[in-house]
Each structure stands twice: as C-alpha cells, then as structure tokens.
Amino acid sequence: MKKLMTGNEAFAYGAYLSGVRVAAAYPGTPSSEILDNFSRYPGVFAEWSPNEKVSLDVAIGAAYAGTRAMCSMKHVGLNVAADSLFYAVYTGLKSGLVIVCADDPDMHSSQNEQDNRNYAKFAKCPMLEPSDSEEAKRFVGLALEMSEAFDTPVLVRSVTRLSHSSTPVEVTAEGPPPPPPAEPPLYERNAPKFVMVPSNARRRHPVVEERIKALAAHAESMPINYIEPGDDKIGIVSAGVNYHYAKEVFPHATFLKLGMVYPLPEKLIREFAARAETVLVVEELDPFLEEQLRLMGIPARGKDVFPMLGEFSPSLIRRCAVKAGLVAAPETPPEIKTGLERPIRPPMLCPGCGHRALFHVLGEAGVLVTGDIGCYTLGWAPPISAMHTTGCMGASIGVAHGIDKAGVKDDVVAVLGDSTFLHSGVHPLIDVLYNKGVTTTIISDNNATAMTGFQEHPGTGKTVQNQTTAAVDPEKLARGIGFNKVDVCDPFDIDRMAEILQDHLQSGEPSVIISRHPCALNTKEKYTPPVIDPELCINCGLCLDIGCSPLVQEEDYVRIDTLLCNGCGLCVKVCPNEAIIKQ
Amino acid sequence: MTKIDFLMAGVGGQGTILASNILAEVGLQLGYDVKKAEVHGMAQRGGQVDSHVRWGEHVHSPLVEENSVDYLIGFEMLEAARFPHFMKQGSVAVVNDYRINPPLVNLGKARYPSKEEIESLLLARAGKVLWVDGTGIAKELGNPAMVGVVLLGFLSTLVGGDQEAWLAVIERMVPPKFVDLNKEAFAAGRKAAG
C-alpha cells in the first residue's frame, strides 16, 4: 500500500528499514524532521548532538563499531562537520554510514544557498540524489549497501522541496517490522586504518583515489542511473526534484535521470549525448553536472538557459526554456493588472517572545549588537532594528570580540540563543576570556531550539527520545570557564535588564548575561491581553516600535488584537502615558 | 482521470499545513497520484505559508505551475491576492473573508487592499471568486483554528468525491478529542456553500 510521506519521513523510514540503529543530528531547516522521525522507531538510538560535527563523529563511531549509522544535517551543517567527513572518507568504516544533507535553494531558512554536491567532489565521497519520497526511502538503503561494499561514507543530498514535499511511499500494511535482536558488536582494532597520522593517511589516500574510480565504474551499471528514451531532439540530464520539474516542461524528451550525482557514469553519459541533438542540463544552483559533462568534451547547455541562483520550479524552467527557444510558448493568458499594493508579510518574533523584550532594552541602550542564527535573528528587522551582524552559528561572540579589538568605541554585545551557544558559542567565549577581551555575551535563553521546531538540546534536560538527562547550565558553564561577571535576568523585567546591561558594559571586564524566558510558542502560556484606553492613548507609536503583531495602528490610537495577543505585558511597560492597562 | 491543482495560501499559525495534509490524503483515497509541497520553518512566525497540492493520474512536480491552478484556497484575503498568476483561466478562488494585517499595515505604513480590489485582481484569471466567512463560522463553533476544515468542507462541494471519504481522512488526521468538532466544521463549510 501507499502512504504519503515527506522526504524527511521517508529518509527516516528507509534508514530504519535498512537497519540503521544509531543516528545523530543537530536540527536545521529543512533537515530537522529526519532525526525527529527516526527517533520514534523501536530499538534505535537517536540523539540531538550539540552540533553537526559532533553528530557526524558519533555516527562514524557507531559505523566503526559495526552498526549501521545515519547522520543528518542542513547544508551549512556540513561546513561544521566537514573535518569529520574528510577523515571518514580516508579511514572508511566497518558498517554502513549514510550522511543525509539538505540544501536550501532560495534560502527559505538559511544564510546562504551553497550547493553541497561540491562536497562530494571535494571530499571524494559518493553522493546519491533522490527525486521523491519513495526514492528517499530506497536511496538510504542503497547508500548503506554502497557504503559497505566500497568502505566509504555515502552522502545523500536532499533539498527543501524534497525534504518538505509529500509524495506516496510504498509501505507494508502491518507497519515497520520490529527490530531483530542484535548482539553487541565486537570492536575490531585496526589502528593503521583508523589512526590518521601522516604515515597511515599517506597509505589511505591512494585507497580513496582508487575507490572513487571504482565507484565511477560501478555507476555505469547502477539501476538508479538510467536513460528514458523519448524525442532525441533535446536530451535532458537531471537529478533530484528538478527531474520532475523538467518532466512537466519536456514531457516527451529523452532523459538521463541520475540517481548518483558523484562520481558520474561517463560511458552512459557519452551514450546518451551521442543520441541527443542538444544536451540540456537542468540543475539548481551550481553547474555541477554541466561542468563535468563539458570536461568530457560534451557541449552541454545549462547555465546559459537557467539561473545559478535560487530555486527552480516548473514555471521557471518553462519561462527559461521558452526564452531559449527550446519549447513553444504556452498560450498567453490575459494580462493581470498589476499595481495593487500587496504589503509583504515577513516572519516576526511571536507575541510573548522574550527575545523582543531583550531587543527593546538593547535598542534603548543603542549598543552595537553582533547576532547569530535563530529566531532572535529577526531582531535585525524594522521596527526592532537592534541587530547589526549575523553570519553563521556561533559567530556572534568572536565577531564582537574582533570589533572590540579593532578599537571601535561603541559598546558591543554579542547575542545568541541557548541552543546556538551550546552548538558553537563555548569556544569563542573561552577566546574572549583568554585574550583579555571585554565583550559582554548575552545568551537569550528560551529553553528550546525554537526556530527549527522546539527540539531539545543539551541545556533542556531532555533527550530526543524524551528521556530525562543532565541539563547544562550556561551560568555554571561560564563561571566554570572563569567568567566572574555572570548575571541571569528575565528580559521582561526591562528595568533590571537595562541596569545589568549598563553595569556589565561599564565594568571593563568580559561578562555573560543570561536573558532567560521560555519560548511562548513552546510553553503555550497565555495571559489576559491588556486593554488600551483610547482616551489616554496619545498615538505616539512607541508601543508599535516593539514590533508586536497584535498592536494595530488605527486612525488616532492603537488597538490590540486580542486573538493574537499573548498578554506578556511588554507594551504596558513601554507606554509613556500609562494608556495600556494590564488586566 | 483529470488533474486537479490546488494552491492554499495563508498565514503561519492558521492551520494551512494540516488542511493541505488532509486534502492530499483525500486525493490518495480517491485514487489519484498525489504530491504536495510547502515551506515551513521561519514561516511559522507569522509569515506567509503556501501549500501546493496536486491530484492527477501521474503527478511529477510537487510544485504547481503558473497559469494552471484549478482551485486557489485563500485562508486570508491578502494571501489569496498574491497568487492570481498561478490560476488557470476560468478557475475558482475560495477565499476566507478574513484579514490579518501585515506588520507594515499595523504600523500605518502600508495600505491593506480592499475586498473589491482583491476580487477584481483574482477575476483577471478566476471564473469566480467565492467568499466564505470561514473564520466567523469557526469562531461560532468555538475554535477559530477550525477555519481550515470549514474551507475544506466548502471546497468538497466543488471538487466532489464521496463526502464519507473526506470525513474518514479528517477523522484519521486530527487529534481524537477534536474529531467531532472537525466534523461539525466540515459540515458547516458544506452548508456555507449552499
């Protein structure tokens, strides 16, 4: 029978069916639900690791020990884990290791749109690319078999439109089978293979080179790389979800559908190119396949027709193909009268969010804020406008320290969330102390990895499998590192938070403020909305500056939308005329 | 088997994702090949959410194409107004008669278009625009979160398919304690369609 599954559900299902028993990840859109789903299968171990590098090391360890393992992450997570990917390619493993990595073309929830297929070539690691959920399920199994047959980790690439699309998957009516009883694996010690000192690594590098050649030869006969014969006027080369988009636009063309995007089956590609009058590569982001075809001497078209940027869709492919004269223009539909203003609706901090209260204090103080990755990044946007840099996970503290060491006179504070702090904020915090910095680091602690869906992390006291565990306390951690000036404050106590901030900034010593308020969306706590007295409201707009969606500008006063309001009372505190009354 | 493309447009928190999950599942029950796409993540924080649901004999792309949507379901007026170019000539727009101001409108720095302007924009492609007081009906039932199922009830009268098939999917996909309320919401949506 068929069941609709998202790509992420299917990755987890495929991993379970293929015998993966250890999986580790750090949440990141669009990959988070892979581990969430996997963790619910019986007899498996799953963990949210503090960051992607740790998660990959954990998965590598399990595969060294003889247990099939999976690691999943978003594209930029592989930047964090890259060091581990590269050594694992050298060492190989004992059991299968699959790394599912989800790119985010168009940056729906990311800071860049890097094309992680480049990592396959860079690390010399094979990469499969499924095009729908059924393939997501199957390719995880194929990746594990390939991993064991060729003694290498195998990358499986997803994109947002695979991870977050639902398509039918073949499932058994009785549900997934129970896990077979497993003997504890015996660790086989083999230091020359697993200790990458130069002398051993030099012996492993030729293995890596030979392996990738063997994989390229194997690619020729893999059933997931195949030609779909059609009209040979245009031969389309495609992989992943773009294959399906291209099928909508070129339903009758000959296709080369690649299930493995690295290494490529050269003979098969030459056979395909020989029959097609024009070879057209349909691929999002980088010309990764196109360049390899051109190196084979095949005059493939691709980026002269389609953009390097953003996400593809059938609409975009058709527009580009019509422009290039590759398909006939569809009948022109009637012109749509434009010009009607349709104001954008950007994501905003939720009503009741503690980050908003913190940013209100920071904005009032006029400090320079280096930011980080999480919900609180929304503090950069108007009307809050209280964050001035954001680059990647954990960058806030080092950037603040660098700005400070450059001699800038502004007061600088770093702001990052609790999960981000434990991901990659601890080392830069050590750096500030060690190198005699004076940076004030503010951990905006809402007790969740909120942006990606409230996942647990090492500070919450719960594991992904809902077991109670030790909770890392950022206050004790900072003190343990050697910070003497550490304060904890609820940001809704805005006067006290402002005092603490000034005290820290003027102290001339490195310091940490933990701004602690649980995520309102996660706890679902709501209070009675305040009431605005239109007689007292002087329409000054100061409450609107906190950027809270229930506050609505009317003709000559401000109104509260009680359906949306969380009742947190921040607007009550910022009103200069006591026109907003707490209930 | 004819293809039917749906586009659901709403605001994060309105329940568009659950409604699109139900709609996709109904398609599968009615014997269609089905694909569905949406973006979640940052959009949850009050941003725009659009879900693409496609029914057909054999569906390739999970994303609908411009000029090809058969039913646009707007959970919010302005969100519906963003997608006329996706609609097929003569298609149907079902729009919840409900307004959630974007931040710039709340701040008094942008104007929310009028209902008439939105209707005329959609009619550039749509054969008809059907307004539903979905949120009002859901509030009367005691829970504004029911708006999605009210709209599905309305939509079911246009799309067809055995009513029982829709109800069976709803029963399976909503939390057990809300099954009766959701069935009421579905019936109320059908009634609103007349």
Side-chain angles (χ1 to χ4, degrees), chain A residues 465-534:
Chain A
Q465 291 176 314
N466 206 29
Q467 290 172 325
T468 304
T469 185
V472 175
D473 178 345
E475 181 186 0
K476 284 187 189 154
L477 182 62
R479 290 192 188 282
I481 289 169
F483 279 80
N484 294 318
K485 200 164 185 61
V486 182
D487 280 296
V488 183
C489 181
D490 186 322
F492 281 98
D493 190 347
I494 56 175
D495 294 334
R496 184 160 166 259
M497 181 59 90
E499 272 172 38
I500 291 174
L501 177 69
Q502 288 311 323
D503 172 47
H504 280 236
L505 291 174
Q506 283 157 23
S507 71
E509 64 174 308
S511 68
V512 174
I513 301 171
I514 295 152
S515 172
R516 181 169 286 152
H517 193 86
C519 170
L521 211 57
N522 197 17
T523 60
K524 300 187 172 70
E525 270 182 28
K526 267 193 142 182
Y527 307 92
T528 312
V531 174
I532 299 185
D533 183 341

Side-chain angles (χ1 to χ4, degrees), chain A residues 166 318 342 345 450 549, chain B residues 36 45 65 79 81 100 106:
Chain A
S166 298
R318 191 179 304 279
R342 286 165 288 177
R345 195 185 299 276
S549 58
Chain B
K36 181 182 84 93
R45 315 294 175 251
E65 196 171 343
E79 290 313 311
I100 301 174
N106 278 349

Side-chain angles (χ1 to χ4, degrees), chain A residues 1-5 10 13 133-134 137 167-171:
Chain A
M1 62 180 266
K2 286 199 188 298
K3 189 177 174 213
L4 279 173
M5 282 192 190
Y13 182 54
S133 300
E134 175 61 29
K137 175 195 82 175
T167 69
V169 173
E170 199 58 52
V171 298

Side-chain angles (χ1 to χ4, degrees), chain A residues 2-4 6 29 33 108-110 131-132 160-161 164-168 241 243-245 247-249 311-316 318-319 330-331 333-338 340-350 374-375 377-378 382-383 450-454 521 544-545 547-554 559 561 563-564, chain B residues 10-12 21 24-26 28-29 32-48 50 52 54 58-67 76-87 89 98-114 117-118 120-121 124-125 135 139 144:
Chain A
K2 286 199 188 298
K3 189 177 174 213
L4 279 173
T6 62
T29 311
E33 302 84 3
H108 296 284
S109 292
S110 304
S131 69
D132 59 21
T160 302
R161 295 300 183 181
H164 285 174
S165 292
S166 298
T167 69
V241 72
Y243 159 78
H244 292 291
Y245 301 158
K247 286 295 262 191
E248 300 279 350
V249 180
E311 185 174 67
F312 285 12
S313 63
S315 308
L316 177 132
R318 191 179 304 279
R319 260 200 308 277
E331 272 180 59
E335 187 84 359
I336 292 173
K337 192 182 71 186
T338 49
L340 180 63
E341 185 191 12
R342 286 165 288 177
I344 55 161
R345 195 185 299 276
M348 291 176 80
L349 293 174
C350 307
C375 290
T377 314
L378 297 170
M451 183 59 106
T452 49
F454 322 115
L521 211 57
L544 297 173
D545 287 345
C548 194
S549 58
L551 293 161
V552 181
Q553 176 75 66
E554 295 292 356
R559 171 176 67 85
D561 182 333
L563 207 60
L564 296 174
Chain B
V11 176
N21 284 343
E25 208 53 56
V26 169
L28 205 63
Q29 295 308 315
Y32 290 93
D33 185 23
V34 172
K35 288 191 177 176
K36 181 182 84 93
E38 73 230 339
V39 167
H40 27 105
M42 287 186 90
Q44 192 166 15
R45 315 294 175 251
Q48 67 182 75
D50 45 285
H52 302 215
R54 307 192 64 205
H58 183 67
V59 178
H60 270 293
S61 167
L63 292 173
V64 298
E65 196 171 343
E66 289 170 13
N67 310 321
E76 198 272 350
M77 292 158 56
L78 174 61
E79 290 313 311
R82 297 190 200 281
F83 297 100
H85 57 295
F86 272 89
M87 300 186 75
Q89 190 63 20
Y98 185 65
R99 161 177 172 168
I100 301 174
N101 283 341
L104 284 173
V105 174
N106 278 349
L107 296 172
K109 289 177 180 161
R111 189 180 73 87
Y112 193 101
S114 72
E117 286 170 323
I118 290 172
S120 104
L121 181 71
R125 289 286 166 81
T135 302
K139 277 188 196 162

Side-chain angles (χ1 to χ4, degrees), chain A residues 348-350 353-381 383-390 396 413-417 442-444 490-492 494 497-498 501 515 545-547 570 574:
Chain A
M348 291 176 80
L349 293 174
C350 307
C353 177
H355 299 316
R356 176 183 290 105
L358 171 65
F359 283 123
H360 171 69
V361 172
L362 296 175
E364 292 283 293
V367 291
L368 182 64
V369 176
T370 61
D372 225 298
I373 305 283
C375 290
Y376 47 89
T377 314
L378 297 170
W380 85 275
I384 297 175
S385 307
M387 179 176 286
H388 310 99
T389 72
T390 294
S396 56
V413 300
V415 172
L416 76 174
I442 303 178
I443 301 168
S444 195
D490 186 322
F492 281 98
I494 56 175
M497 181 59 90
L501 177 69
S515 172
D545 287 345
I546 64 174
L570 181 64
V574 304

